[in-house]
Amino acid sequence: MRRLPVYLLIDTSGSMRGEPIESVKVGLETMVSSLRQEPYALESVCLSIITFDREVKQILPLTPLDELQLPEITTPESGPTHTGLALKLLCEMVDKEVQKGTPDRKGDWKPLLFIMTDGKPSDTLLYNEMIPEVKARNFAGIVACAAGMSARTEPLKALTDDVVALETVDSTAFKQFFKWVSGTIVEGNRSMGASDGIELPPPPAEVNVII
């Protein structure tokens, strides 16, 4: 069975402390639970989580759904948002973890990337440098989410055309967002090989598509 690698980049900077990050955790649990109910996803989807604030960490290496235990997510009290550094680590992990095809073996499907932030990159120069690097990794789909009223959509639009926004950062909004992410992964899973990209399913009312 070929794997479908899914990378989640989650902003854990100081403004996410408290209810927002707790809501993200609930949303992630909902997403994993939904994916596990899809037999094909359970067999093929592998998930990785990278968090970024003043530090950037891969808190979950690429792991099959049936072996996955969600790690603890923490937030610092304050500090910059190193989104560019997060994209740099993402590229390194994709190069290391995603299996390429060989004459004797099919490689993994093209990976999917979901990035969520509630602000804007502090390391703008590196962020802009990394955008072509990310695009060179040939993701089947890149979906960016601007969470909350302070989130800037312009930098995300430079990375991908698929940008959505959450006006509120409560548990209902994050739960609906991650449920939609799981639906996107399932759709991507079904259409792999049939097309180069993925079709995003209609978003719930809490998720606004940015044109």
Side-chain angles (χ1 to χ4, degrees):
M1 174 66 72
R2 294 172 76 179
R3 304 187 309 170
L4 173 60
V6 178
Y7 286 85
L8 296 179
L9 268 62
I10 298 175
D11 184 345
T12 46
S13 56
S15 51
M16 288 292 288
R17 277 176 78 80
E19 189 193 352
I21 204 66
E22 293 306 319
S23 301
V24 166
K25 293 175 188 176
V26 171
L28 283 170
E29 286 165 5
T30 303
M31 183 191 79
V32 170
S33 175
S34 297
L35 287 171
R36 282 179 171 155
Q37 288 165 28
E38 292 280 341
Y40 192 66
L42 188 60
E43 287 183 359
S44 57
V45 171
C46 296
L47 202 62
S48 166
I49 300 175
I50 291 172
T51 59
F52 59 100
D53 43 69
R54 62 188 177 210
E55 292 181 14
V56 173
K57 303 185 284 277
Q58 187 188 41
I59 60 171
L60 180 72
L62 200 61
T63 304
L65 265 182
D66 58 349
E67 298 173 17
L68 190 150
Q69 284 190 313
L70 283 171
E72 185 58 33
I73 300 177
T74 57
T75 55
E77 287 187 15
S78 61
T81 305
H82 284 141
T83 320
L85 211 52
L87 294 184
K88 187 169 186 287
L89 179 60
L90 166 73
C91 290
E92 290 169 5
M93 291 301 105
V94 167
D95 291 347
K96 179 180 165 187
E97 295 175 331
V98 177
Q99 294 172 3
K100 292 184 170 64
T102 66
D104 338 317
R105 185 191 68 191
K106 287 184 175 178
D108 291 332
W109 296 112
K110 290 180 183 177
L112 299 176
L113 169 61
F114 298 88
I115 177 168
M116 189 191 74
T117 179
D118 74 335
K120 61 180 182 178
S122 302
D123 50 353
T124 310
L125 193 63
L126 180 59
Y127 179 79
N128 291 330
E129 282 175 8
M130 292 312 302
I131 287 172
E133 290 294 324
V134 172
K135 290 181 177 179
R137 270 34 184 207
N138 209 12
F139 284 91
I142 300 174
V143 179
C145 174
M149 304 306 283
S150 303
R152 294 276 302 280
T153 57
E154 297 88 349
L156 300 176
K157 272 290 184 185
L159 179 65
T160 176
D161 290 332
D162 294 320
V163 178
V164 299
L166 301 177
E167 288 180 11
T168 56
V169 286
D170 57 20
S171 58
T172 304
F174 278 125
K175 206 167 181 180
Q176 290 302 322
F177 169 69
F178 280 108
K179 213 167 172 184
W180 179 69
V181 168
S182 66
T184 305
I185 293 169
V186 169
E187 279 302 312
N189 215 348
R190 287 181 184 141
S191 63
M192 283 300 159
S195 64
D196 282 342
I198 57 164
E199 286 289 322
L200 300 179
E206 292 82 358
V207 178
N208 301 315
V209 176
I210 305 296
I211 306 297

